[in-house]
Amino acid sequence: MARTVVIGYGNPLRGDDAAGVAVAQALQERLNDRPDVTVEAAFQLLPEHAALIAEADRVLFVDAALDGSPGEVRSTVVMPVTPPGSPLTHTLSPGQILGMCQQLFGKCPHATLWTLTGWEFEHQEGMSERIQQAMLGWVEQIVEDLLHPPAQAS
Amino acid sequence: MGKQIMIDPITRIEGHAKISLHLDDSGVVDEARMHVTQFRGFEKFCEGRPFYEMPSLMARTCGICPVSHLVAAAKACDDLYSVQIPEAAVMLRRMINLAQIMQSHALSFFYLSSPDLVFGMDADPAMRNLFGVHAQDPQLMRDGIRLRQIGQQIIELLGGKRIHPSWVVPGGVNAPLTEEHRDTILAVLPEAKALAQRTLRWYKKIMKQFKPEIDTFANFPSLYLGLVDKLGNLEHYDGNFRMMDAAGNIIIDQFDTLRYAEIIEEAVEPWSYMKFPYYKSLGYPRGMYRTGPLARLNIIDACGTPMADDELEEFRGGSTKPVQSSFHYHWARLIEILFAVERIEDILTTKRVMTKHVRAYATPNSFDGIGVTEAPRGSLIHHFKIDEQGLVTWANLIIATAHNNLAMNRGILQAAKTFVDGNHLKEGMLNRVEAVIRAFDPCLSCSTHAAGQMPFHVELVAPDGELLDEVKRGV
């Protein structure tokens, strides 16, 4: 059985940055009966995520975006970054996680990054109403992608 | 007037700090200071908040060891209630604290310090980092990632989430353990044990290459402080204080943690936001002591689990005196990971841990509450005073890392005097000074979600302002 991992990430104390986490929480409820799908909510990407995705066939990274027009949805195929990049950082990108997975486990899954550009990223708990509205459609697109992946990802 | 070298920031630690090295006129290191440059203010801004918020509020002190703050603050609230919490709650709190020690020690050893151990202190910084270890020794890094993952998984299974769980509450925990979660945790423990043992074997092999560092990384006589259980064994959740002197004599034993203020005083220096706790009887700074894994293994009679006890015997090498070199914090950390796995297994195989009664309910019966636990980096003290409405009027937090502040400062001076040639700087010299700090694994706050580059730029400036030498990385 093909295995898919979804990692929704962001900081719930930075307004719309919480969107990735909110999507993960929504998917955890909707896909509760799907043993082939693992959904993870996280503040940020960590080295442990490389181990989490190592046995998967596909991974979806879900994140709020700063760039682009507010409300804009994008899905991009992500390639592993090898070597995984600068060590002088506190952050890891999806490409770096894939690169770490490749380097440590000798394989990495097909990966897609889903982003939704947010409106407000100030220090605050709770997302803007606009992104909450936009998220309704975004979640459906991600679920559709999960259930009917494109040919190159399946 | 002498020169000054700044190492700013210190890299591969949790939080923000810098080191200044003061040279005399001949370029020899005369003084060294670690400046903690961030300010949190938790003691102040919890004033006026309801006491029952303290566990979740204090957990926000840190993103790496939130569970320790959660547990210490909850214990302080138990003390405000003046209740004895249910036995199962004690076991569950103990277990989540051990899981956190496991994941935090793994982070320190594998993510932050292993680059120095794998490549050596003088290696090219472009390689001497987490990704370099991936390429050089993927097995070691896989083991580290997996150990941390298992620790985090146990925290999540118990507490509901990995970071800032709210499961530990005043009076106990808010839900009992399920059979499903117990079995899931039990299933991963044999793997965790095997990984910890493999890493211990690796460390004991490579540490022979680090004799100069072992000899000079905060390797000096000091006192050691930590919790012990009633038998004098390793204890991370409850117990009483024990203090040992440099000769191995126990000078304080089974000392009630609620009386901490009788033995610990805090000094303040104008050049750091971190306080300097010291042993009151010896005064400041003579009362320097160390806490954390090295101190814990020094003060105990035994770990109390078979595999960790075997390792402890080897760690002590047959000596009755404490292990003095802070380089061996790394070793002690690995032994504690093994201990944590064994102890969690012990707890999960008792029937009592499954008891559904896991919380005591009460209202405050005291205006003063103290909670003490062992965090990954040492003894953690939370002390709150409340008014009749249950609002916090005063708070004192003595964070594990702060206990080691005096020793860290003396440690960087020792290493700098040995390795740093002020007339011709090399990156490896300064990395050794940083590595002393890494050995202690200070947690200077860690809750920041810092983004971007962490550059390293050291300038050697003459008294007249002339730039004599500089070392850069990532700038």
Side-chain angles (χ1 to χ4, degrees):
Chain A
M1 180 167 42
R3 249 197 82 201
T4 301
V5 173
V6 182
I7 305 173
Y9 58 100
N11 184 346
L13 298 177
R14 292 299 296 266
D16 291 350
D17 198 39
V21 174
V23 168
Q25 289 164 344
L27 293 180
Q28 276 166 346
E29 286 182 22
R30 280 181 64 162
L31 302 172
N32 200 20
D33 59 346
R34 291 286 300 264
D36 57 326
V37 179
T38 301
V39 183
E40 169 102 350
F43 280 91
Q44 63 185 111
L45 295 176
L46 298 166
E48 295 92 276
H49 289 126
L52 177 71
I53 66 174
E55 298 304 319
D57 301 291
R58 191 170 184 226
V59 58
L60 303 186
F61 295 100
V62 183
D63 189 17
L66 270 169
D67 60 328
S69 307
E72 181 183 347
V73 168
R74 276 175 284 181
S75 90
T76 319
V77 172
V78 187
M79 302 304 290
V81 176
T82 48
S86 167
L88 301 172
T89 177
H90 264 200
T91 61
L92 288 169
S93 69
Q96 287 176 304
I97 293 293
L98 294 171
M100 289 172 67
C101 185
Q102 183 72 54
Q103 203 165 47
L104 290 174
F105 301 97
K107 56 187 175 181
C108 78
H110 184 278
T112 304
L113 171 64
W114 279 91
T115 60
L116 169 60
T117 303
W119 279 263
E120 298 170 15
F121 290 89
E122 299 308 310
H123 290 102
Q124 61 185 47
E125 204 166 3
M127 295 178 288
S128 66
E129 283 192 18
R130 286 182 290 192
I131 203 166
Q132 289 184 53
Q133 283 299 316
M135 274 182 54
L136 299 174
W138 193 35
V139 170
E140 294 310 317
Q141 286 177 281
I142 294 169
V143 169
E144 177 63 21
D145 187 23
L146 267 170
L147 299 178
H148 305 102
Q152 70 271 22
S154 55
Chain B
M1 185 181 169
K3 304 157 194 165
Q4 186 172 315
I5 302 169
M6 295 297 295
I7 303 175
D8 184 12
I10 309 171
T11 57
R12 285 190 273 129
I13 61 167
E14 293 140 14
H16 307 283
K18 62 182 181 182
I19 291 171
S20 62
L21 304 178
H22 304 257
L23 312 181
D24 64 16
D25 290 335
S26 58
V28 174
V29 174
D30 184 45
E31 181 60 275
R33 287 174 177 170
M34 182 180 77
H35 311 256
V36 177
T37 53
Q38 60 185 103
F39 179 72
R40 308 301 306 287
F42 271 73
E43 287 171 334
K44 207 65 196 163
F45 66 65
C46 68
E47 288 178 7
R49 304 300 308 173
F51 77 92
Y52 52 78
E53 284 185 359
M54 290 306 107
S56 53
L57 184 59
M58 288 302 132
R60 298 282 166 173
T61 311
C62 182
I64 302 292
C65 45
V67 171
S68 297
H69 292 284
L70 189 63
V71 170
K75 287 182 73 177
C77 292
D78 301 342
D79 194 32
L80 291 169
Y81 283 162
S82 307
V83 295
Q84 186 172 352
I85 70 168
E87 184 192 18
V90 171
M91 296 169 101
L92 292 168
R93 283 184 181 180
R94 185 188 299 281
M95 198 156 52
I96 198 170
N97 198 38
L98 288 168
Q100 182 195 236
I101 281 170
M102 192 178 153
Q103 67 84 14
S104 176
H105 281 357
L107 186 150
S108 169
F109 185 85
F110 294 97
Y111 293 8
L112 303 181
S113 284
S114 77
D116 296 326
L117 303 175
V118 167
F119 294 106
M121 300 289 168
D122 293 307
D124 180 358
M127 177 173 67
R128 197 189 60 221
N129 55 61
L130 182 71
F131 300 128
V133 178
H134 286 180
Q136 181 73 16
D137 194 340
Q139 177 71 65
L140 180 74
M141 194 46 65
R142 279 196 297 271
D143 289 354
I145 286 177
R146 183 64 183 137
L147 269 175
R148 184 150 196 266
Q149 196 180 31
I150 291 172
Q152 295 279 50
Q153 187 187 1
I154 296 170
I155 292 171
E156 187 174 22
L157 287 167
L158 293 172
K161 58 182 185 175
R162 292 172 189 189
I163 303 174
H164 303 136
S166 54
W167 174 68
V168 179
V169 292
V173 297
N174 66 18
L177 180 63
T178 66
E179 287 183 9
E180 182 191 353
H181 286 172
R182 178 198 60 191
D183 295 345
T184 304
I185 296 170
L186 277 171
V188 296
L189 296 182
E191 181 190 2
K193 253 187 250 179
L195 297 179
Q197 286 180 304
R198 179 156 64 195
T199 310
L200 272 160
R201 284 195 296 274
W202 178 83
Y203 177 82
K204 285 183 278 190
K205 198 166 67 180
I206 63 100
M207 74 177 182
K208 293 167 188 154
Q209 302 159 30
F210 292 91
K211 188 171 183 313
E213 288 79 13
I214 290 169
D215 288 345
T216 54
F217 274 27
N219 188 348
F220 42 63
S222 78
L223 304 170
Y224 301 91
L225 176 76
L227 296 177
V228 292
D229 70 10
K230 285 176 185 167
L231 300 173
N233 290 345
L234 189 55
E235 174 62 60
H236 293 90
Y237 172 75
D238 235 330
N240 291 313
F241 279 133
R242 176 180 278 184
M243 185 174 265
M244 177 177 277
D245 69 13
N249 303 307
I250 294 170
I251 57 172
I252 291 175
D253 204 11
Q254 298 298 343
F255 190 86
D256 187 351
T257 55
L258 301 183
R259 295 167 55 201
Y260 78 91
E262 294 175 29
I263 56 169
I264 298 170
E265 185 82 63
E266 294 176 278
V268 176
E269 295 286 359
W271 41 269
S272 180
Y273 281 120
M274 187 152 69
K275 292 179 189 171
F276 292 78
Y278 60 94
Y279 176 44
K280 238 176 176 175
S281 297
L282 290 185
Y284 181 77
R286 275 190 64 224
M288 174 184 72
Y289 58 88
R290 282 180 266 184
T291 60
L294 180 81
R296 288 192 287 253
L297 293 196
N298 276 337
I299 63 167
I300 55 172
D301 295 335
C303 291
T305 60
M307 289 179 181
D309 272 331
D310 285 347
E311 294 294 338
L312 179 66
E313 196 178 331
E314 198 173 346
F315 177 77
R316 289 178 166 172
S319 172
T320 55
K321 293 187 176 172
V323 174
Q324 281 198 160
S325 175
S326 293
F327 191 90
H328 289 319
Y329 266 99
H330 297 307
W331 193 356
R333 222 162 260 135
L334 294 175
I335 295 172
E336 282 203 327
I337 291 176
L338 186 58
F339 169 82
V341 179
E342 288 185 287
R343 181 61 85 211
I344 289 170
E345 194 169 45
D346 286 347
I347 294 170
L348 286 176
T349 46
T350 64
K351 283 184 182 170
R352 302 193 308 280
V353 74
M354 302 307 294
T355 306
K356 302 297 177 198
H357 178 48
V358 291
R359 187 171 183 180
Y361 292 89
T363 53
N365 291 295
S366 169
F367 293 116
D368 198 294
I370 296 171
V372 179
T373 186
E374 284 291 332
R377 292 150 192 87
S379 306
L380 173 64
I381 301 168
H382 282 204
H383 186 179
F384 305 112
K385 294 183 182 196
I386 60 171
D387 62 17
E388 288 185 356
Q389 282 71 48
L391 302 178
V392 174
T393 58
W394 177 90
N396 187 33
L397 310 174
I398 305 184
I399 307 295
T401 292
H403 293 290
N404 287 326
N405 204 359
L406 275 169
M408 284 191 284
N409 275 278
R410 192 179 296 182
I412 56 174
L413 178 61
Q414 184 184 34
K417 277 181 177 290
T418 307
F419 296 109
V420 175
D421 174 0
N423 295 308
H424 185 69
L425 284 179
K426 287 183 180 168
E427 199 276 340
M429 298 175 189
L430 301 174
N431 182 49
R432 283 180 173 81
V433 179
E434 289 185 80
V436 173
I437 299 297
R438 281 184 211 120
F440 283 93
D441 184 29
C443 188
L444 304 175
S445 81
C446 339
S447 55
T448 50
H449 185 159
Q453 299 285 304
M454 290 189 69
F456 174 96
H457 185 191
V458 178
E459 290 183 340
L460 186 61
V461 183
D464 62 0
E466 183 192 353
L467 183 65
L468 299 175
D469 204 345
E470 64 182 332
V471 177
K472 290 182 181 180
R473 75 173 177 232
V475 178

